[in-house]
Short mmCIF file of all heavy atoms in Angstrom, two decimals:
data_model
loop_
_atom_site.label_atom_id
_atom_site.label_comp_id
_atom_site.label_asym_id
_atom_site.label_seq_id
_atom_site.Cartn_x
_atom_site.Cartn_y
_atom_site.Cartn_z
N ASP A 1 96.20 -18.23 31.44
CA ASP A 1 96.75 -19.49 30.81
C ASP A 1 97.61 -19.18 29.70
O ASP A 1 98.67 -19.83 29.50
CB ASP A 1 95.54 -20.34 30.36
CG ASP A 1 94.84 -21.05 31.64
OD1 ASP A 1 95.35 -21.07 32.66
OD2 ASP A 1 93.71 -21.47 31.41
N GLN A 2 97.15 -18.20 28.84
CA GLN A 2 97.92 -17.86 27.57
C GLN A 2 98.79 -16.62 27.61
O GLN A 2 99.47 -16.45 26.74
CB GLN A 2 96.88 -17.84 26.51
CG GLN A 2 96.04 -19.05 26.23
CD GLN A 2 96.85 -20.31 26.01
OE1 GLN A 2 97.78 -20.18 25.24
NE2 GLN A 2 96.36 -21.42 26.49
N GLU A 3 98.66 -15.83 28.82
CA GLU A 3 99.40 -14.65 28.75
C GLU A 3 99.62 -14.13 30.18
O GLU A 3 98.99 -14.60 31.13
CB GLU A 3 98.56 -13.52 27.98
CG GLU A 3 97.16 -13.37 28.55
CD GLU A 3 96.34 -12.62 27.46
OE1 GLU A 3 96.80 -12.28 26.40
OE2 GLU A 3 95.07 -12.50 27.88
N LEU A 4 100.69 -13.37 30.30
CA LEU A 4 101.07 -12.80 31.50
C LEU A 4 101.05 -11.29 31.49
O LEU A 4 101.70 -10.70 30.47
CB LEU A 4 102.45 -13.28 32.00
CG LEU A 4 103.19 -12.59 33.17
CD1 LEU A 4 102.36 -12.78 34.38
CD2 LEU A 4 104.63 -13.12 33.27
N TYR A 5 100.41 -10.54 32.34
CA TYR A 5 100.45 -9.08 32.35
C TYR A 5 101.39 -8.58 33.44
O TYR A 5 101.33 -9.15 34.57
CB TYR A 5 99.06 -8.50 32.51
CG TYR A 5 98.22 -8.66 31.25
CD1 TYR A 5 97.35 -9.80 31.15
CD2 TYR A 5 98.20 -7.71 30.18
CE1 TYR A 5 96.64 -9.92 30.05
CE2 TYR A 5 97.43 -7.89 29.09
CZ TYR A 5 96.69 -8.95 28.93
OH TYR A 5 95.86 -9.14 27.83
N LEU A 6 102.15 -7.57 33.10
CA LEU A 6 103.21 -7.15 33.96
C LEU A 6 103.11 -5.55 33.95
O LEU A 6 102.78 -5.04 33.05
CB LEU A 6 104.60 -7.54 33.53
CG LEU A 6 104.83 -9.04 33.30
CD1 LEU A 6 105.07 -9.28 31.83
CD2 LEU A 6 106.01 -9.58 34.17
N GLN A 7 103.55 -4.97 35.13
CA GLN A 7 103.75 -3.58 35.18
C GLN A 7 105.14 -3.16 35.40
O GLN A 7 105.85 -3.78 36.19
CB GLN A 7 102.80 -3.12 36.40
CG GLN A 7 102.80 -1.54 36.50
CD GLN A 7 102.14 -1.06 37.77
OE1 GLN A 7 102.75 -1.02 38.82
NE2 GLN A 7 100.80 -0.77 37.63
N GLY A 8 105.61 -2.18 34.55
CA GLY A 8 106.88 -1.68 34.67
C GLY A 8 106.86 -0.22 35.03
O GLY A 8 106.04 0.51 34.52
N SER A 9 107.72 0.25 35.93
CA SER A 9 107.81 1.56 36.30
C SER A 9 109.13 1.85 36.93
O SER A 9 109.96 0.92 37.33
CB SER A 9 106.71 1.88 37.37
OG SER A 9 106.87 1.24 38.62
N SER A 10 109.43 3.20 36.89
CA SER A 10 110.65 3.58 37.55
C SER A 10 110.54 5.02 37.97
O SER A 10 109.48 5.63 37.73
CB SER A 10 111.90 3.48 36.56
OG SER A 10 111.83 4.49 35.53
N PHE A 11 111.64 5.54 38.57
CA PHE A 11 111.52 7.01 38.92
C PHE A 11 111.22 7.90 37.79
O PHE A 11 110.54 8.96 37.99
CB PHE A 11 112.93 7.45 39.56
CG PHE A 11 113.15 6.73 40.82
CD1 PHE A 11 114.27 5.86 40.87
CD2 PHE A 11 112.50 6.86 41.94
CE1 PHE A 11 114.60 5.22 42.00
CE2 PHE A 11 112.73 6.25 43.12
CZ PHE A 11 113.85 5.45 43.20
N ILE A 12 111.67 7.57 36.51
CA ILE A 12 111.42 8.49 35.40
C ILE A 12 110.28 7.91 34.50
O ILE A 12 110.05 8.66 33.46
CB ILE A 12 112.67 8.59 34.61
CG1 ILE A 12 113.32 7.31 34.08
CG2 ILE A 12 113.76 9.32 35.50
CD1 ILE A 12 114.50 7.40 33.28
N ASN A 13 109.70 6.80 34.71
CA ASN A 13 108.64 6.23 33.98
C ASN A 13 107.44 5.95 34.80
O ASN A 13 107.58 5.07 35.72
CB ASN A 13 109.10 4.95 33.22
CG ASN A 13 110.19 5.32 32.13
OD1 ASN A 13 111.23 4.61 32.22
ND2 ASN A 13 109.86 6.22 31.25
N ALA A 14 106.35 6.57 34.45
CA ALA A 14 105.07 6.22 35.14
C ALA A 14 104.70 4.82 34.74
O ALA A 14 105.27 4.19 33.82
CB ALA A 14 103.91 7.17 34.68
N PRO A 15 103.90 4.05 35.58
CA PRO A 15 103.53 2.73 35.30
C PRO A 15 103.11 2.40 33.75
O PRO A 15 102.33 3.08 33.18
CB PRO A 15 102.36 2.36 36.23
CG PRO A 15 102.70 3.33 37.29
CD PRO A 15 103.14 4.58 36.71
N ARG A 16 103.70 1.32 33.29
CA ARG A 16 103.36 0.89 31.96
C ARG A 16 102.82 -0.51 31.99
O ARG A 16 103.37 -1.30 32.90
CB ARG A 16 104.65 0.91 31.04
CG ARG A 16 105.23 2.24 30.80
CD ARG A 16 106.47 2.17 29.96
NE ARG A 16 107.00 3.51 29.56
CZ ARG A 16 107.95 3.58 28.59
NH1 ARG A 16 108.64 2.62 28.05
NH2 ARG A 16 108.27 4.83 28.21
N LEU A 17 102.01 -0.90 31.15
CA LEU A 17 101.49 -2.23 31.15
C LEU A 17 102.09 -3.15 30.00
O LEU A 17 102.06 -2.63 28.83
CB LEU A 17 100.01 -2.19 31.06
CG LEU A 17 99.15 -3.61 31.17
CD1 LEU A 17 99.45 -4.19 32.49
CD2 LEU A 17 97.77 -3.43 30.82
N TYR A 18 102.66 -4.26 30.29
CA TYR A 18 103.12 -5.14 29.34
C TYR A 18 102.35 -6.48 29.20
O TYR A 18 101.83 -6.94 30.27
CB TYR A 18 104.59 -5.52 29.54
CG TYR A 18 105.54 -4.29 29.54
CD1 TYR A 18 105.79 -3.45 30.70
CD2 TYR A 18 106.15 -3.91 28.26
CE1 TYR A 18 106.61 -2.41 30.68
CE2 TYR A 18 106.98 -2.78 28.28
CZ TYR A 18 107.24 -2.05 29.49
OH TYR A 18 108.09 -1.09 29.39
N ARG A 19 102.29 -7.07 28.04
CA ARG A 19 101.65 -8.38 27.91
C ARG A 19 102.76 -9.35 27.37
O ARG A 19 103.42 -9.06 26.27
CB ARG A 19 100.52 -8.30 26.96
CG ARG A 19 99.97 -9.63 26.62
CD ARG A 19 98.88 -9.56 25.48
NE ARG A 19 98.25 -10.83 25.23
CZ ARG A 19 98.81 -11.62 24.23
NH1 ARG A 19 99.96 -11.30 23.50
NH2 ARG A 19 98.18 -12.76 23.90
N LEU A 20 102.82 -10.54 28.04
CA LEU A 20 103.81 -11.58 27.54
C LEU A 20 103.08 -12.74 27.10
O LEU A 20 102.31 -13.35 27.92
CB LEU A 20 104.79 -11.96 28.57
CG LEU A 20 105.97 -12.78 28.08
CD1 LEU A 20 107.33 -12.40 28.83
CD2 LEU A 20 105.74 -14.37 28.39
N ASP A 21 103.13 -13.18 25.86
CA ASP A 21 102.40 -14.29 25.31
C ASP A 21 103.12 -15.64 25.88
O ASP A 21 104.36 -15.86 25.55
CB ASP A 21 102.52 -14.32 23.78
CG ASP A 21 101.58 -15.30 23.16
OD1 ASP A 21 101.72 -16.46 23.54
OD2 ASP A 21 100.87 -14.92 22.24
N ARG A 22 102.40 -16.37 26.52
CA ARG A 22 102.96 -17.64 27.20
C ARG A 22 103.19 -18.73 26.22
O ARG A 22 103.77 -19.79 26.60
CB ARG A 22 102.25 -17.99 28.36
CG ARG A 22 102.05 -16.98 29.42
CD ARG A 22 101.39 -17.40 30.71
NE ARG A 22 102.16 -18.49 31.37
CZ ARG A 22 101.76 -19.20 32.44
NH1 ARG A 22 100.58 -18.87 32.99
NH2 ARG A 22 102.48 -20.11 33.06
N LYS A 23 102.67 -18.51 24.92
CA LYS A 23 102.90 -19.49 23.99
C LYS A 23 104.21 -19.32 23.20
O LYS A 23 105.06 -20.11 22.86
CB LYS A 23 101.74 -19.63 22.99
CG LYS A 23 100.56 -20.35 23.55
CD LYS A 23 99.45 -20.54 22.37
CE LYS A 23 98.42 -21.40 22.90
NZ LYS A 23 97.34 -21.53 21.73
N THR A 24 104.47 -17.96 22.87
CA THR A 24 105.54 -17.61 22.02
C THR A 24 106.62 -16.84 22.75
O THR A 24 107.86 -16.82 22.31
CB THR A 24 105.13 -16.55 20.90
OG1 THR A 24 104.63 -15.53 21.54
CG2 THR A 24 103.98 -17.30 20.06
N GLY A 25 106.39 -16.34 24.01
CA GLY A 25 107.37 -15.57 24.70
C GLY A 25 107.40 -14.10 24.20
O GLY A 25 108.31 -13.36 24.76
N GLU A 26 106.53 -13.75 23.32
CA GLU A 26 106.71 -12.32 22.73
C GLU A 26 106.17 -11.36 23.88
O GLU A 26 105.08 -11.56 24.50
CB GLU A 26 105.84 -12.24 21.57
CG GLU A 26 105.79 -10.83 20.88
CD GLU A 26 104.79 -10.78 19.71
OE1 GLU A 26 104.05 -11.72 19.49
OE2 GLU A 26 104.81 -9.68 19.04
N LEU A 27 106.93 -10.28 23.99
CA LEU A 27 106.52 -9.23 24.98
C LEU A 27 106.00 -8.11 24.16
O LEU A 27 106.73 -7.58 23.24
CB LEU A 27 107.81 -8.92 25.82
CG LEU A 27 107.50 -7.81 26.88
CD1 LEU A 27 106.68 -8.38 28.03
CD2 LEU A 27 108.86 -7.35 27.45
N THR A 28 104.85 -7.55 24.51
CA THR A 28 104.31 -6.35 23.82
C THR A 28 103.98 -5.25 24.84
O THR A 28 103.51 -5.55 25.98
CB THR A 28 103.11 -6.63 22.96
OG1 THR A 28 102.14 -7.26 23.81
CG2 THR A 28 103.51 -7.65 21.82
N PHE A 29 104.12 -4.04 24.39
CA PHE A 29 103.71 -2.88 25.22
C PHE A 29 102.31 -2.60 25.06
O PHE A 29 101.73 -2.40 23.92
CB PHE A 29 104.65 -1.72 24.82
CG PHE A 29 104.33 -0.49 25.46
CD1 PHE A 29 104.33 -0.30 26.83
CD2 PHE A 29 103.98 0.70 24.66
CE1 PHE A 29 103.93 0.99 27.40
CE2 PHE A 29 103.69 1.92 25.20
CZ PHE A 29 103.63 2.05 26.58
N VAL A 30 101.49 -2.39 26.08
CA VAL A 30 100.14 -2.31 26.06
C VAL A 30 99.72 -0.87 26.19
O VAL A 30 99.15 -0.22 25.27
CB VAL A 30 99.33 -3.20 27.09
CG1 VAL A 30 97.80 -2.94 27.02
CG2 VAL A 30 99.69 -4.66 26.91
N LYS A 31 100.07 -0.23 27.35
CA LYS A 31 99.69 1.17 27.48
C LYS A 31 100.50 1.83 28.71
O LYS A 31 100.97 1.18 29.52
CB LYS A 31 98.24 1.32 27.73
CG LYS A 31 97.78 0.73 29.12
CD LYS A 31 96.22 1.07 29.26
CE LYS A 31 95.85 0.62 30.62
NZ LYS A 31 94.42 0.94 30.92
N ASN A 32 100.46 3.18 28.65
CA ASN A 32 100.97 4.02 29.77
C ASN A 32 99.78 4.45 30.67
O ASN A 32 98.63 4.51 30.27
CB ASN A 32 101.59 5.30 29.31
CG ASN A 32 102.86 5.10 28.54
OD1 ASN A 32 103.38 4.01 28.58
ND2 ASN A 32 103.25 6.16 27.86
N ASP A 33 100.04 4.56 31.97
CA ASP A 33 99.06 5.11 32.87
C ASP A 33 99.02 6.62 32.77
O ASP A 33 97.85 7.16 32.88
CB ASP A 33 99.27 4.70 34.34
CG ASP A 33 98.89 3.21 34.60
OD1 ASP A 33 98.40 2.58 33.74
OD2 ASP A 33 99.03 2.87 35.75
N THR A 34 100.05 7.26 32.44
CA THR A 34 99.96 8.76 32.33
C THR A 34 100.95 9.03 31.13
O THR A 34 101.60 8.23 30.60
CB THR A 34 100.50 9.49 33.55
OG1 THR A 34 101.88 9.36 33.61
CG2 THR A 34 99.99 8.93 34.84
N SER A 35 100.88 10.35 30.82
CA SER A 35 101.78 10.77 29.72
C SER A 35 103.24 11.09 30.05
O SER A 35 103.94 11.60 29.30
CB SER A 35 101.12 12.07 29.10
OG SER A 35 101.09 13.09 30.00
N GLU A 36 103.50 10.91 31.47
CA GLU A 36 104.76 11.35 31.95
C GLU A 36 105.92 10.52 31.47
O GLU A 36 107.05 10.69 31.94
CB GLU A 36 104.76 11.47 33.42
CG GLU A 36 103.93 12.63 33.91
CD GLU A 36 103.92 12.83 35.53
OE1 GLU A 36 104.49 11.88 36.18
OE2 GLU A 36 103.28 13.73 35.98
N ASN A 37 105.65 9.43 30.62
CA ASN A 37 106.84 8.69 30.06
C ASN A 37 107.44 9.43 29.05
O ASN A 37 108.61 9.17 28.58
CB ASN A 37 106.22 7.35 29.58
CG ASN A 37 105.95 6.35 30.64
OD1 ASN A 37 106.91 5.81 31.37
ND2 ASN A 37 104.63 6.12 30.80
N ALA A 38 106.79 10.40 28.37
CA ALA A 38 107.43 11.31 27.38
C ALA A 38 108.25 12.39 28.07
O ALA A 38 107.79 13.44 28.29
CB ALA A 38 106.35 11.81 26.43
N ASN A 39 109.42 12.11 28.33
CA ASN A 39 110.32 13.05 29.05
C ASN A 39 111.73 12.90 28.59
O ASN A 39 112.15 12.12 27.87
CB ASN A 39 110.21 12.90 30.59
CG ASN A 39 110.70 11.39 31.08
OD1 ASN A 39 111.82 11.04 30.71
ND2 ASN A 39 109.87 10.80 31.85
N THR A 40 112.60 13.87 29.04
CA THR A 40 113.98 13.96 28.62
C THR A 40 114.80 13.24 29.65
O THR A 40 116.05 13.35 29.51
CB THR A 40 114.46 15.44 28.33
OG1 THR A 40 114.27 16.02 29.68
CG2 THR A 40 113.59 16.08 27.41
N PHE A 41 114.39 12.60 30.54
CA PHE A 41 115.11 11.92 31.58
C PHE A 41 115.76 10.62 30.99
O PHE A 41 115.25 10.09 30.05
CB PHE A 41 114.41 11.64 32.86
CG PHE A 41 113.68 12.85 33.40
CD1 PHE A 41 112.46 12.76 33.83
CD2 PHE A 41 114.44 14.12 33.62
CE1 PHE A 41 111.84 13.97 34.43
CE2 PHE A 41 113.86 15.16 34.16
CZ PHE A 41 112.51 15.07 34.49
#
């Protein structure tokens, strides 16, 4: 009711979890599934 959880990923980014507040529209980064987001790509 108050929030939307989303998963973002790409070839160079392992899945990330985002939270969007459905009252304010604010998007926040929750966590990574792995450490492979820290790369030079």
Side-chain angles (χ1 to χ4, degrees):
D1 290 340
Q2 304 298 325
E3 53 197 3
L4 168 65
Y5 286 92
L6 308 112
Q7 185 185 82
S9 65
S10 74
F11 296 113
I12 61 175
N13 294 124
R16 298 178 170 186
L17 185 64
Y18 296 90
R19 176 187 176 273
L20 191 142
D21 189 312
R22 298 186 68 183
K23 283 187 175 181
T24 66
E26 181 184 8
L27 183 71
T28 55
F29 172 59
V30 181
K31 67 175 183 178
N32 292 345
D33 279 2
T34 78
S35 62
E36 289 183 355
N37 284 291
N39 58 54
T40 59
F41 303 134

